[in-house]
Amino acid sequence: MPVKSVRDLDLKNKKVLVRVDYNVPVKEGKITDDSRITASLPTLEYILKQEGASVILMSHLGRPKGGERKAEFSLSPVAAKLSDLLGKKVTMADDCIGASVEKLVQNIKPGEIIMLENVRYYKEETDNNPDFARKLAKLGDVYVNDAFGTAHRAHASTEGVTKFIPGAAGFLIEKEINFFEPILKNPQQPLAAVIGGAKVSSKIAVLESLLGNCSSMIIGGGMAYTFLKVMGKKIGKSLLEEEFTETAEKFLKAASARGVDIVFPIDHIVATEFSENAEGLYIDSSDIPDDCMGMDIGPKTLALIKEHLTKAKTIVWNGPMGVFEFKNFQRGTIAVAEMIAASKGITVVGGGDSVAAVNKFGYADKISHVSTGGGASLEYLEGKVLPGIKAIEK
Ligand code: AMP
C-alpha cells in the first residue's frame, strides 16, 4: 500500500512533529559524520516553506540503557549542527515531553524549529507506551516520519504517535519505498540479487523472499560455505552453520524448481587463520583445503558474476562478498561494488555492511539508491511489514 506523503498533508499554520534519524556518531561532543542531518534537510525545508508551519523534531541518539539520561546521548550537538546547516536558529528543548516542553512548543512561531531531547531517555519510547506516545503527539498538529532507519521498530515516536495525530512520510522514507517496493512487487527484469555477509541464518528470509522475483541470485560471503557444503564441496575451516544445512538444501530445491540461476563461488581467496594480517592464498577450485577458510571470492567467480550483472536491469545488493574489513580480502567486495556502480539498470544497496562498503570504496554516488536503514532495509527485502511505514499508509 502506498504511504501518505508530506505533500498530502495540509501544513498551513500547523505545528509539524517530525521524526528524524539523527542517530549520528558523536565523539567528545563533536559530530563526526553529519550525513543523516544533511539528508533530512529537503523535508525540513519543504515544511518550513509552507505558510505558518513550524517544526518540532524528535529523534533518538545511541542506546541509553533503561532510559537513563546521560550527556553523551544528548541531541544538543545535533541541534547546533542543524542550525549551522539550515542557517537558522534551532531551539534545543531540555526534554521531549512534559510541562516545560509543552510551554516551549505553545510559543513556537511560524518558521521556527525546536529539537526535542532524546526520546530514548524514556524507556516508554521503545516500549511504545500509549501514554508516552500521546504526550509526544500532543506537541504537534500533524506528524511526519522521515526516519527509515527505525521504521522497522514499533516505537512511540515511529508508530504510537500516529494513533493520535495524522501522519505521513517525509521525502527520505518516500525515496526508500520508491526503490524497495518495485523490487518486491514488479521489478524491471532481469533482476539480479547479490546477497553476501556472514550467516545464512540472518539472510535466509531475504533469499526466500527474493527468490520469487529474481532471475539470478549471487550468493557470496561467509554464508556461501554452508550452501557449498550441502552441494558436496569441501569447505575446509570456512564458516559453517551446521544447523542450517537442511534449510540451505530446501532453498536450493526451491530455486531449482523456480528456474532461478544461483551463482556460488567457483574459486576462492583463503587464509589459514581469521586475522587482519593473514596472507590471502588463491584456490582455483570450488573445493577448499582442510586447513584453510574461505575469506573472499576469486577472479573466476567475479567473471561469472559480471555476466549476470551486465544483463540485469535491476540489481539489489545486501552483504559483502568477503571479509572486506581486512585489506587482503576486500577485492571481491570492491569488484562487485564497481560492477554495480557501472550498471545502467536500477541499483539498490541495502544493509549496513554493503552500504559501508560502497561508501568506503567510493561508489555510493554511482548507485541509484543507497539505503539509509540497515535493519529496516533487510526487513523490507524480507517482505516484512515495517510498523513505522504501515502507520502512515494511505
Ligand atoms: P552481514 O552483517 O550478515 O551482512 O555480514 C557482514 C560480515 O560478514 C562482515 O563483517 C564480513 O567480514 C563478514 N564476512 C563476509 N565474508 C566472510 C567470510 N568468508 N568469512 C567470514 N566472515 C565473512
Side-chain angles (χ1 to χ4, degrees), residues 196-199 202-203 220-223 225 238-239 274 293-296 318-325 352-354:
K199 290 181 169 175
S202 61
K203 298 289 165 78
M223 62 186 280
Y225 301 101
S238 306
L239 258 185
F274 189 86
M293 61 187 85
M295 300 284 275
D296 196 5
N318 180 298
M321 295 291 100
V323 187
F324 77 106
E325 299 93 335
D353 275 314
S354 24

Side-chain angles (χ1 to χ4, degrees), residues 15-147:
K15 291 180 179 134
V16 189
L17 185 62
V18 187
R19 175 53 155 108
V20 280
D21 180 3
Y22 286 166
N23 184 26
V24 294
V26 183
K27 240 189 193 159
E28 287 152 14
K30 289 233 154 55
I31 295 162
T32 54
D33 177 1
D34 64 8
S35 47
R36 285 184 170 167
I37 308 176
T38 317
S40 72
L41 298 181
T43 299
L44 302 186
E45 280 164 352
Y46 171 83
I47 297 170
L48 291 169
K49 256 194 240 153
Q50 311 307 307
E51 192 187 334
S54 53
V55 166
I56 296 109
L57 290 165
M58 53 182 175
S59 177
H60 75 284
L61 190 135
R63 291 169 183 244
K65 266 192 218 111
E68 68 178 341
R69 252 165 219 266
K70 261 191 180 172
E72 67 187 277
F73 299 122
S74 171
L75 280 155
S76 203
V78 176
K81 186 79 206 177
L82 177 65
S83 170
D84 281 352
L85 291 169
L86 281 172
K88 212 172 177 30
K89 185 179 166 199
V90 175
T91 305
M92 184 65 212
D94 61 359
D95 208 336
C96 61
I97 54 163
S100 73
V101 180
E102 281 172 29
K103 194 162 172 221
L104 195 65
V105 169
Q106 255 163 30
N107 293 326
I108 196 171
K109 301 214 171 46
E112 287 185 351
I113 310 170
I114 292 173
M115 173 88 240
L116 301 180
E117 191 47 285
N118 195 341
V119 283
R120 289 202 191 161
Y121 275 177
Y122 291 85
K123 76 182 254 311
E124 288 85 346
E125 157 68 1
T126 47
D127 291 346
N128 199 4
N129 177 293
D131 189 47
F132 180 70
R134 189 184 50 77
K135 286 178 183 153
L136 288 175
K138 213 173 154 187
L139 303 173
D141 303 310
V142 288
Y143 167 74
V144 170
N145 190 356
D146 217 13

Side-chain angles (χ1 to χ4, degrees), residues 183-198:
I183 288 172
L184 296 174
K185 298 254 163 84
N186 189 21
Q188 281 199 40
Q189 294 288 3
L191 163 65
V194 184
I195 311 292

Side-chain angles (χ1 to χ4, degrees), residues 337-390:
E338 196 179 342
M339 288 177 211
I340 296 177
S343 167
K344 295 201 166 49
I346 297 160
T347 51
V348 179
V349 179
D353 275 314
S354 24
V355 170
V358 292
N359 286 326
K360 176 171 170 177
F361 304 126
Y363 293 104
D365 60 347
K366 296 193 180 69
I367 310 261
S368 316
H369 181 59
V370 179
S371 178
T372 55
S377 68
L378 193 65
E379 291 198 19
Y380 210 128
L381 289 175
E382 287 171 1
K384 284 192 186 150
V385 172
L386 308 192
I389 288 179
K390 175 111 187 99

